[in-house]
C-alpha cells in the first residue's frame, strides 16, 4: 500500500540520491475511497502494457448461512510488463481485503482472488512469464492463496516462493504481526514458465535460481510489514 503517483515520484527521486535508481514506475488507479492508497511498481527495466485497474466483479456470500450475496471487486490492482534481459515478464500487483471483519472479509478476499485468477489465466495459457505479488492478507496455504495459485481450476499453477526450499536463512519467516501472531501474508508467486528459466537451487554449492528472504524491520514509521525479497538467477 503506497500513496499517489506524486508520492512515488518523490520516492523515486529520494532513492536516486542514495544510488538506488529506478527510472521506471507505474501506479494503479485506486478504488479505495477510504484510504486512497495504491499499489505500484518501481523498476530498473522499461514497463509496458500497463493496466492500472481491474474493474470486473464477482459475487460472494457475505453471511455464513449463504443468505446474503454481495459484489466483490479488487480496489488496488496493477498489471504491467517488464522486459528483463530480453524476456517479457508480466507483473500483477494486488492488495486483497484485510483480515479484520471475520467471515465476510474472508469471503470477500476469496472472491477477489477469483477475480485476479481470471486476470492471470490468459497469461498462463499463452505461456507467458508471470509474477503475482502483493499483500494478500492470507497465509501460504489459506484458500485465497490457493485460488490465486490455481488449485481450484485446471489451468497452470503458480509456484509459492515462500515455500521452505527457496529459503537459505530461516531466521525471519513472517511479514506482518497481526495481534501478536507473526504471519507471512505478503507473497510473490511465480509461473512455472518463469521458474523454468531459472537455475536449479543447489544448496551444496550455494548456487541458486530462486532465493527468498524476509528482512526484519524494527521501525513502524518505515513500514509495519517486513519486506519479502525473491532473487531470480536465470540459466
Amino acid at each position: 500500500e503506497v500513496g499517489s503517483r506524486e508520492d512515488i515520484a518523490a520516492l523515486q527521486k529520494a532513492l536516486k540520491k542514495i544510488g538506488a535508481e529506478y527510472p521506471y514506475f507505474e501506479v494503479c488507479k485506486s478504488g479505495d475511497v477510504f484510504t486512497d492508497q495504491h499499489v505500484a511498481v518501481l523498476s530498473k527495466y522499461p514497463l509496458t502494457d500497463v493496466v492500472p485497474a481491474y474493474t470486473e466483479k464477482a459475487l460472494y456470500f457475505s453471511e455464513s448461512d449463504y443468505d446474503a450475496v454481495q459484489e466483490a471487486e479488487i480496489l488496488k490492482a496493477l498489471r504491467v510488463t517488464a522486459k528483463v534481459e530480453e524476456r517479457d515478464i508480466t507483473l500483477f500487483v494486488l492488495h486483497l481485503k484485510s483480515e479484520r471483519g471475520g467471515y465476510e472479509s474472508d469471503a470477500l478476499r476469496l472472491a477477489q482472488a477469483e477475480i485476479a485468477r481470471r486476470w492471470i489465466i490468459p497469461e498462463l495459457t499463452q505461456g507467458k512469464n508471470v509474477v503475482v505479488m502483493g499483500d494478500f492478507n492470507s497465509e501460504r496455504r489459506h484458500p485465497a492463496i490457493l485460488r490465486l495459485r490455481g488449485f481450484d481450476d485446471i489451468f497452470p499453477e503458480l509456484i509459492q516462493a515462500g515455500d521452505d526450499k527457496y529459503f537459505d536463512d530461516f531466521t525471519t519467516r513472517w511479514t506482518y504481526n497481526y495481534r501478536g501472531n507473526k504471519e507471512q501474508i505478503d507473497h510473490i508467486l511465480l509461473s512455472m514458465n518463469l521458474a523454468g528459466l531459472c537455475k536449479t537451487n543447489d544448496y551444496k554449492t550455494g548456487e541458486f535460481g530462486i532465493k527468498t528472504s524476509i528482512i526484519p524491520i524494527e521501525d513502524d514509521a518505515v513500514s509495519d510489514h517486513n519486506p519479502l525479497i525473491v532473487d531470480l538467477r536465470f540459466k
Side-chain angles (χ1 to χ4, degrees):
E1 291 169 295
V2 296
S4 65
R5 191 170 191 87
E6 291 74 21
D7 293 333
I8 300 303
L11 174 60
Q12 183 189 42
K13 290 179 182 178
L15 288 168
K16 186 175 181 179
K17 288 180 181 178
I18 61 170
E21 188 168 359
Y22 295 88
Y24 309 98
F25 74 89
E26 293 292 341
V27 181
C28 81
K29 180 180 179 182
S30 176
D32 187 343
V33 297
F34 298 104
T35 67
D36 195 34
Q37 291 173 328
H38 303 69
V39 293
V41 171
L42 284 156
S43 177
K44 295 179 181 293
Y45 306 97
L47 299 174
T48 59
D49 303 325
V50 180
V51 181
Y54 195 63
T55 58
E56 187 173 341
K57 298 184 185 332
L59 298 178
Y60 70 99
F61 291 107
S62 57
E63 296 180 2
S64 58
D65 61 1
Y66 294 176
D67 191 44
V69 174
Q70 300 288 342
E71 285 189 349
E73 59 182 327
I74 305 176
L75 300 178
K76 289 165 276 191
L78 175 67
R79 175 203 179 280
V80 298
T81 299
K83 187 173 285 294
V84 181
E85 298 183 10
E86 303 306 314
R87 299 174 176 88
D88 285 338
I89 300 178
T90 304
L91 308 173
F92 294 97
V93 188
L94 313 167
H95 183 274
L96 303 186
K97 175 66 177 155
S98 73
E99 292 185 87
R100 296 173 181 84
Y103 174 86
E104 183 174 0
S105 291
D106 292 343
L108 172 54
R109 191 183 318 108
L110 189 59
Q112 291 176 326
E114 175 187 323
I115 295 169
R117 183 66 182 171
R118 294 177 200 162
W119 203 5
I120 295 162
I121 284 172
E123 304 287 327
L124 298 176
T125 56
Q126 294 175 53
K128 295 185 178 180
N129 304 310
V130 174
V131 179
V132 182
M133 54 189 168
D135 177 2
F136 301 152
N137 280 299
S138 297
E139 294 190 79
R140 287 181 296 161
R141 299 295 189 263
H142 281 186
I145 300 296
L146 297 181
R147 180 158 294 177
L148 274 175
R149 291 183 62 190
F151 286 95
D152 286 348
D153 59 54
I154 63 171
F155 298 99
E157 289 78 21
L158 296 171
I159 288 172
Q160 171 60 268
D163 281 347
D164 291 354
K165 65 180 180 179
Y166 301 115
F167 278 83
D168 64 351
D169 180 0
F170 294 91
T171 306
T172 303
R173 290 296 304 274
W174 58 278
T175 60
Y176 186 64
N177 189 338
Y178 179 64
R179 297 177 178 176
N181 296 317
K182 294 179 178 180
E183 309 168 336
Q184 184 190 334
I185 61 172
D186 304 271
H187 302 273
I188 298 177
L189 311 176
L190 311 174
S191 67
M192 288 189 282
N193 274 11
L194 180 58
L197 296 175
C198 298
K199 294 180 178 181
T200 301
N201 284 12
D202 186 337
Y203 296 102
K204 292 181 179 178
T205 64
E207 278 282 316
F208 67 89
I210 301 170
K211 183 169 72 171
T212 302
S213 55
I214 297 174
I215 309 302
I217 296 293
E218 302 297 336
D219 185 357
D220 281 352
V222 176
S223 177
D224 58 351
H225 287 242
N226 290 331
L228 171 68
I229 301 170
V230 176
D231 290 312
L232 304 181
R233 189 168 296 178
F234 294 129
K235 294 175 183 175

